């Protein structure tokens, strides 16, 4: 079945620096790759997603890149702020219906 | 603007007890899900319902049952709770196109 690996598990950056989180997936039929942010005590919230027909997508300080050949995708956060501190999850569609397989999460800490 | 609502928020059960987690969505979505979240394990799919009247097993279905009562509601039942089922449970819903919206979570402890 589909497997999604996510690295690193923890990431600490100084405010204003960039943060990069990487994920790899195994199912070549996967065609949808969302990223979720989870704050303490809350449910995950979608922050950006990308479909297999594009290689990059940006939304203000957040960008996602996709390399289908290598089966990996990355989340880039520029000019980090303390409010970016949270757990981030990547996910990949299983290639069937609407199911997603999630990575194990990255705890991002942004220090002022 | 409720989105996905799940109850209860917190629950403590004794081993062997049963309980049902309730979930409702007001976005008219066809698909609904139950995930569990454990430290270092990410979110793992327990059960999935593509539409009213249909359910499918996910990655970790053992020990759970589900009911898709109608388009809005999708419940998760633990018939005989075990300590290994201590976790945070998330209900979610989506329309075709894969954007999944999550509820706020239910913290379950089995002692």
């Amino acid at each position: 079945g589909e497997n999604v690996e996510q690295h690193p598990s923890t990431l600490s950056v100084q405010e204003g620096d960039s943060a990069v989180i990487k994920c790899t997936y195994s199912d070549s039929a996967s065609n949808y790759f969302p990223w979720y942010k989870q704050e303490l005590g809350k449910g995950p919230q979608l922050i950006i997603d990308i479909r297999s027909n594009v290689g990059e997508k940006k939304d203000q300080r957040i960008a996602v890149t996709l390399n289908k050949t290598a089966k990996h995708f990355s989340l880039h956060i520029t000019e980090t702020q303390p409010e970016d501190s949270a757990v981030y999850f990547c996910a990949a569609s299983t290639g069937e219906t609407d199911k997603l397989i999630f990575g194990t999460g990255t705890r991002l800490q942004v220090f002022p | 603007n409720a989105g996905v609502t799940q109850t209860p928020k917190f629950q403590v059960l004794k081993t062997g007890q049963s309980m049902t987690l309730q979930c409702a969505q007001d976005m008219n979505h066809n698909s609904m899900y139950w995930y569990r979240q454990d430290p270092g394990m990410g979110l793992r799919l327990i059960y999935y319902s593509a539409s009213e009247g249909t359910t499918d097993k996910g990655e970790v279905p053992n020990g759970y049952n589900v009911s898709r009562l109608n388009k809005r509601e999708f419940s998760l039942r633990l018939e005989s709770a075990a300590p290994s089922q201590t976790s945070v449970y998330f209900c979610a819903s989506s329309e075709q196109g894969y954007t999944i919206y999550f509820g706020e979570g239910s913290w379950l402890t089995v002692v």
Side-chain angles (χ1 to χ4, degrees), chain A residues 14-86:
Chain A
Q14 205 74 31
E15 181 178 1
D17 288 349
S18 295
V20 180
I21 303 170
K22 298 181 178 182
C23 289
T24 60
Y25 62 98
S26 60
D27 187 350
S28 56
S30 294
N31 56 14
Y32 176 65
F33 309 91
W35 286 88
Y36 285 83
K37 176 183 180 182
Q38 185 179 29
E39 296 177 342
L40 194 62
K42 300 286 188 181
Q45 285 196 306
L46 180 73
I47 55 171
I48 195 168
D49 57 12
I50 191 167
R51 298 186 189 274
S52 59
N53 56 344
V54 298
E56 183 174 1
K57 184 176 179 180
K58 292 184 75 173
D59 183 3
Q60 300 182 345
R61 297 185 297 108
I62 295 173
V64 58
T65 59
L66 171 65
N67 183 329
K68 285 218 74 179
T69 303
K71 294 184 188 171
H72 65 71
F73 56 113
S74 301
L75 178 72
H76 304 254
I77 306 174
T78 58
E79 300 172 27
T80 54
Q81 301 167 4
E83 52 264 38
D84 293 329
S85 296

Side-chain angles (χ1 to χ4, degrees), chain A residues 31-32 34 36 38 41-46 49 51 87 89 93 96-105, chain B residues 9 31 33 35 37 40-43 45 48 56-57 59 90 94-100 102-104 107:
Chain A
N31 56 14
Y32 176 65
Y36 285 83
Q38 185 179 29
K42 300 286 188 181
Q45 285 196 306
L46 180 73
D49 57 12
R51 298 186 189 274
V87 178
F89 290 97
S93 62
E96 56 176 284
T97 64
D98 301 355
K99 296 183 197 176
L100 292 178
I101 300 297
F102 284 82
T104 51
Chain B
K9 182 86 170 179
S31 299
Y33 315 79
Y35 284 88
Q37 184 176 28
M41 302 289 287
L43 291 146
L45 183 64
Y48 159 73
D56 282 306
K57 294 179 180 179
E59 303 168 74
F90 288 97
S94 75
E95 193 43 76
Q96 288 184 350
Y98 308 123
T99 301
I100 293 181
F102 285 86
E104 293 288 273
W107 274 253

Side-chain angles (χ1 to χ4, degrees), chain B:
Chain B
N1 193 14
V4 179
T5 304
Q6 52 181 112
T7 57
K9 182 86 170 179
F10 300 98
Q11 184 72 49
V12 179
L13 286 178
K14 293 183 179 179
T15 297
Q17 285 186 320
S18 62
M19 77 158 297
T20 299
L21 297 174
Q22 307 286 353
C23 175
Q25 52 92 7
D26 62 3
M27 295 174 281
N28 202 36
H29 287 163
N30 280 307
S31 299
M32 296 188 73
Y33 315 79
W34 277 104
Y35 284 88
R36 62 177 286 175
Q37 184 176 28
D38 303 291
M41 302 289 287
L43 291 146
R44 293 182 293 169
L45 183 64
I46 304 171
Y47 269 95
Y48 159 73
S49 172
S51 62
E52 184 180 348
T54 67
T55 60
D56 282 306
K57 294 179 180 179
E59 303 168 74
V60 288
N62 291 344
Y64 305 95
N65 286 303
V66 290
S67 295
R68 183 72 183 269
L69 305 170
N70 47 55
K71 191 172 185 179
R72 288 187 65 247
E73 298 173 289
F74 189 38
S75 63
L76 178 72
R77 183 160 178 84
L78 287 70
E79 290 291 352
S80 179
S84 60
Q85 293 178 305
T86 294
S87 188
V88 184
Y89 291 86
F90 288 97
C91 179
S93 71
S94 75
E95 193 43 76
Q96 288 184 350
Y98 308 123
T99 301
I100 293 181
Y101 297 90
F102 285 86
E104 293 288 273
S106 295
W107 274 253
L108 175 65
T109 301
V110 183
V111 297

